[in-house]
């Protein structure tokens, strides 16, 4: 049974304490937190620092300060193949036929289907709402939501996998999966966990810049992810 290390970049330790530090499903494992309150260093740089420093053979859970498991993930991780990237929420392209007006012909629209169910907190209602499609077994996806990415240290070492430090806050998880697949044929999968996420991401100018960077780097027409800039889906 391999140990588990949970790595987070923290700007709000009250949130981190509630979601992870005081969470009995998580604090039984080794918690590594990077204090980002004074020096706001990009998440990929923090994650890469951990990858470089880690000497143990273990499962690594990279997650946001406001993400948490409701149940200990150990039992599920023990059964997983170590040659894949995993996460609780990911996306696959979904083709739909839509018709705006009867006079207009039907056309294909690609929308991303959220794979894996998570309890997402809604500010409007101050309650958690289930989001995404529950999966019965591990399911291949294009990319993962950045709230949580799980990978075994042996796979990182085997392919020297790193996060792209040009992507400080957005799309670093998506790019990680795209790069691993394109360069090393390493696939990404969603596994169903009982988990939650409190925060909601913002699409801003930095997101647009990150989007264009990933497109150019990997010669893509679009990024299959949980979010996209307006007018680019």
């Amino acid at each position: 049974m391999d140990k588990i290390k949970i790595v987070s970049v923290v700007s709000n330790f009250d949130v981190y304490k509630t979601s992870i530090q005081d969470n009995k499903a998580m604090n039984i494992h080794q918690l590594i937190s990077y204090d980002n309150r004074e020096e706001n260093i990009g998440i990929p740089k923090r994650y890469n620092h951990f990858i470089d420093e880690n000497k143990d053979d273990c499962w690594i859970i990279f997650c946001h300060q406001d993400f948490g498991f409701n149940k200990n993930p150990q039992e599920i991780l023990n059964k997983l193949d170590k040659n894949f990237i995993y996460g609780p929420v990911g996306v696959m392209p979904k083709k739909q036929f839509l018709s705006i007006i009867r006079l207009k012909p039907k056309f294909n629209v690609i929308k991303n289907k959220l794979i894996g169910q998570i309890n997402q907190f809604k500010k409007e209602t101050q309650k958690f709402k289930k989001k995404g499609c529950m999966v019965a077994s591990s399911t291949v996806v294009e990319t993962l939501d950045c709230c949580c990415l799980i990978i075994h240290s042996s796979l990182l070492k085997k392919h020297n996998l790193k996060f792209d430090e040009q992507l400080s806050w957005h799309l670093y998880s998506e790019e990680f999966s795209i790069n691993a697949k394109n360069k090393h044929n390493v696939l990404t999968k969603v596994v169903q966990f009982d988990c939650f996420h409190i925060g909601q991401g913002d699409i801003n100018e930095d997101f647009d810049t990150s989007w264009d960077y990933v497109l150019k780097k990997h010669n893509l027409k679009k990024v299959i992810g949980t979010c996209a800039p307006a007018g680019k889906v």
Side-chain angles (χ1 to χ4, degrees):
M1 182 173 69
D2 288 355
K3 67 169 69 175
I4 294 173
K5 294 187 179 184
I6 301 173
V7 183
S8 303
V9 178
V10 184
S11 59
N12 186 327
F13 273 89
D14 290 334
V15 172
Y16 178 74
K17 189 172 187 293
T18 299
S19 300
I20 299 175
Q21 198 169 40
D22 289 348
N23 185 336
K24 294 180 180 179
M26 301 178 76
N27 62 18
I28 56 175
H29 303 295
Q30 184 176 348
L31 304 181
I32 296 94
S33 62
Y34 285 93
D35 189 344
N36 240 27
R37 289 174 297 182
E38 292 187 9
E39 191 174 6
N40 202 25
I41 295 174
I43 292 176
K45 286 186 179 180
R46 296 295 201 184
Y47 286 175
N48 285 342
H49 178 269
F50 173 80
I51 291 171
D52 290 337
E53 294 296 314
N54 178 58
K55 306 301 180 185
D56 293 327
D57 197 40
C58 61
W59 283 104
I60 305 167
I61 299 176
F62 294 105
C63 66
H64 285 182
Q65 63 185 3
D66 56 2
F67 172 88
F69 293 101
N70 291 316
K71 295 181 180 179
N72 183 359
Q74 182 83 63
E75 184 176 351
I76 293 176
L77 294 182
N78 288 345
K79 300 175 183 177
L80 296 181
D81 186 331
K82 298 174 183 177
N83 293 302
F84 295 91
I85 300 165
Y86 296 98
V89 183
V91 286
M92 285 293 289
K94 179 183 178 182
K95 185 175 288 187
Q96 295 180 331
F97 287 91
L98 302 178
S99 181
I100 305 302
I101 305 176
R102 285 185 182 180
L103 298 176
K104 290 186 177 181
K106 292 183 178 181
F107 58 92
N108 288 336
V109 174
I110 299 296
K111 289 192 173 183
N112 297 337
K113 183 177 181 181
L114 197 63
I115 307 295
Q117 193 173 86
I118 189 171
N119 297 295
Q120 176 66 53
F121 186 75
K122 297 293 183 181
K123 291 182 180 178
E124 310 82 54
T125 61
Q126 292 294 297
K127 294 180 180 179
F128 284 96
K129 182 178 180 181
K130 292 189 182 300
K131 190 175 181 180
C133 176
M134 184 174 284
V135 293
S137 58
S138 61
T139 303
V140 174
V141 294
E142 289 289 333
T143 62
L144 297 170
D145 187 272
C146 59
C147 69
C148 180
L149 182 150
I150 305 168
I151 188 165
H152 198 271
S153 61
S154 60
L155 188 61
L156 289 172
K157 293 174 184 176
K158 180 179 180 181
H159 298 296
N160 193 29
L161 295 175
K162 293 288 184 69
F163 291 89
D164 190 328
E165 296 183 8
Q166 295 296 315
L167 301 164
S168 297
W169 312 111
H170 302 289
L171 299 174
Y172 55 85
S173 174
E174 289 87 344
E175 197 282 330
F176 187 86
S177 290
I178 293 168
N179 185 66
K181 181 179 179 181
N182 289 348
K183 287 190 174 181
H184 308 288
N185 200 30
V186 174
L187 300 181
T188 296
K189 291 186 174 185
V190 159
V191 179
Q192 188 61 58
F193 292 95
D194 184 355
C195 59
F196 64 89
H197 187 222
I198 297 174
Q200 294 173 291
D202 296 321
I203 296 180
N204 51 28
E205 185 177 343
D206 185 56
F207 189 98
D208 290 357
T209 302
S210 298
W211 176 276
D212 292 337
Y213 171 80
V214 175
L215 294 185
K216 184 176 180 180
K217 178 179 179 179
H218 295 285
N219 193 27
L220 302 172
K221 292 183 178 179
K222 65 179 295 187
V223 179
I224 306 299
T226 53
C227 298
K232 296 187 179 182
V233 291

